[in-house]
Amino acid sequence: MPDTNALAASVKILVAGGFGVGKTTMVGSLSEVTPLRTEELITEMSSGVDDLSGVEAKTTTTVALDFGRITIDHNLVLYLFGTPGQDRFWFLWDELARGALGAIVIADTRRLENSFAAIDYFERRGLVFAVAVNCFDSAPVYTPDEVREALDLDAQVPVVLCDARDRASSKTVLMTLVEHLIHRATAAGVR
Ligand SMILES: Nc1nc2c(ncn2[C@@H]2O[C@H](COP(=O)(O)OP(=O)(O)OP(=O)(O)O)[C@@H](O)[C@H]2O)c(=O)[nH]1
Ligand SMILES: [Mg+2]
């Protein structure tokens, strides 16, 4: 019996965004394998540097990457790479972004500015991305268009509201990105 997985396209997707927006949570909710995590305790060095407002219960932070995998169908397997959120790990981004086809940028409406740098990074490199607004319980609710305006995004960038803890919700975000990637590739005449 042939191994159909061997025929599937493997695509690398980044899950990025500012400190504590829910990147590790989203990779974990999406992954069909136990996700690889590189969490370390947040140290005193973080105080005054990382904005913990809204995620005061958070005790750990990603120090290298998150890794997970999700099979969309027998043609497509996505490998998910979550980035670290602290600024001191920016040096890892080029390595993590290498070979990626697209990215999800997670944003928290209480601290939208935390995700500016990730958006700027992908815009400058021309990497296709979608924005996922992680709707924390205490966060102000804005429409996708309001978020688009606040983040000064191009009209074609998809903006989706989500709950990063919920697999179905995170999968909707991922499928929005995949459809956006396919749409872009088709428009560019790539088959
Ligand atoms: N209420 C609520 N809490 C969430 C949600 N997503 C994540 N959390 C919590 O928010 C905190 C931050 O989540 P992480 O997934 O660690 O965030 P991160 O973006 O990976 O953080 P860094 O790697 O440190 O940048 C954790 O305590 C999560 O349990 C959400 O949708 N709603
Ligand atoms: Mg993390």
Side-chain angles (χ1 to χ4, degrees):
M1 178 143 168
D3 177 3
T4 47
N5 252 344
L7 304 172
S10 303
V11 170
K12 177 177 179 179
I13 301 289
L14 291 182
V15 179
F19 175 71
V21 291
K23 303 176 291 293
T24 299
T25 304
M26 183 176 280
V27 172
S29 75
L30 283 171
S31 185
E32 65 203 6
V33 295
T34 306
L36 170 78
R37 289 183 174 155
T38 58
E39 295 291 290
E40 295 288 348
L41 285 175
I42 295 173
T43 63
E44 280 178 15
M45 296 285 282
S46 166
S47 83
V49 177
D50 302 311
D51 183 3
L52 273 167
S53 53
V55 284
E56 290 85 358
K58 187 170 160 61
T59 55
T60 63
T61 188
T62 303
V63 296
L65 79 166
D66 303 301
F67 175 76
R69 187 191 73 197
I70 178 168
T71 304
I72 302 300
D73 59 28
H74 62 278
N75 288 317
L76 185 60
V77 178
L78 304 183
Y79 290 93
L80 308 170
F81 288 73
T83 62
Q86 290 182 323
D87 289 347
R88 65 190 171 113
F89 295 116
W90 266 110
F91 72 95
L92 288 172
W93 276 59
D94 287 345
E95 203 61 47
L96 280 171
R98 187 164 301 149
L101 203 66
I104 294 168
V105 177
I106 306 181
D108 176 348
T109 56
R110 297 164 303 183
R111 301 169 294 132
L112 269 187
E113 65 284 359
N114 282 11
S115 293
F116 285 165
I119 289 169
D120 190 47
Y121 181 92
F122 297 132
E123 281 179 346
R124 273 190 282 122
R125 279 160 185 77
L127 189 72
V128 176
F129 65 95
V131 170
V133 181
N134 191 11
C135 300
F136 286 83
D137 304 331
S138 61
V141 180
Y142 295 105
T143 65
D145 279 341
E146 285 170 328
V147 173
R148 176 190 310 287
E149 193 170 331
L151 291 174
D152 196 20
L153 298 171
D154 284 350
Q156 85 275 6
V157 176
V159 179
V160 199
L161 306 184
C162 76
D163 181 339
R165 300 165 297 180
D166 181 74
R167 179 174 165 83
S169 174
S170 295
K171 205 166 167 191
T172 301
V173 174
L174 195 58
M175 293 318 293
T176 301
L177 173 66
V178 169
E179 280 160 18
H180 183 49
L181 282 164
I182 292 169
H183 179 76
R184 294 259 315 206
T186 309
V190 179
R191 296 277 174 259

